[in-house]
Amino acid sequence: MPTEANDPGQDTIAVRFLRYERIQKVCTYIGGGIGGVLVIVGLNGTSIAHAPRWLHAVLITAVVLSAVCLGRAYIGYLSAQFHLAREQKTGDLPDDRGVAEMEGCAYPTGAYRSYCIAIALLAVAGIGLLAAVWWP
């Protein structure tokens, strides 16, 4: 159950901007993790050569879908941040105003779901990579 401190519905404009900036940075770091998995597979393709083809397919599918979901999340948060900034500037609103009072500035739940899916798929890719490397 969300508490008042971590509930996006209780945010002020300033806190919401901080949330958006943080999640965009985290998306960048997760993208680096996705790139790292691809580099490991690409630099030494023979390390997973003994794994079955289905495991290769699972690994590549998880990486690609993770990247797609991560891009969707990043764009969703970036768009929400832009919309909030535009609403604040055009309405000349103070930073301490509650976002819940503003129409059309709801927290981007679709972007959050994509973000969670991207993390889960990256974990699947990491586990798949470990399984492929250790395959007999």
Side-chain angles (χ1 to χ4, degrees):
M1 173 144 327
T3 63
E4 191 172 314
N6 66 10
D7 181 11
Q10 302 295 323
D11 287 350
T12 63
I13 292 174
V15 170
R16 184 65 61 89
F17 278 132
L18 291 174
R19 281 186 197 273
Y20 289 157
E21 289 172 15
R22 180 186 171 277
I23 199 78
Q24 289 170 25
K25 287 180 184 178
V26 172
C27 284
T28 303
Y29 303 146
I30 294 169
I34 293 170
V37 170
L38 289 176
V39 166
I40 290 170
V41 171
L43 285 180
N44 191 3
T46 59
S47 63
I48 64 170
H50 298 295
R53 297 291 303 155
W54 66 265
L55 188 53
H56 288 230
V58 167
L59 178 63
I60 297 303
T61 302
V63 168
V64 169
L65 290 178
S66 180
V68 168
C69 288
L70 188 65
R72 161 67 176 92
Y74 186 85
I75 295 299
Y77 281 110
L78 193 65
S79 296
Q81 183 181 22
F82 176 77
H83 180 72
L84 181 61
R86 185 180 62 212
E87 292 297 316
Q88 183 186 25
K89 298 280 189 215
T90 58
D92 198 29
L93 303 173
D95 283 345
D96 60 349
R97 176 160 179 187
V99 177
E101 306 164 8
M102 300 172 63
E103 192 171 323
C105 292
Y107 195 76
T109 54
Y112 178 73
R113 279 192 295 274
S114 293
Y115 167 78
C116 292
I117 292 169
I119 291 173
L121 287 169
L122 182 58
V124 168
I127 291 167
L129 180 61
L130 287 174
V133 168
W134 286 96
W135 200 271

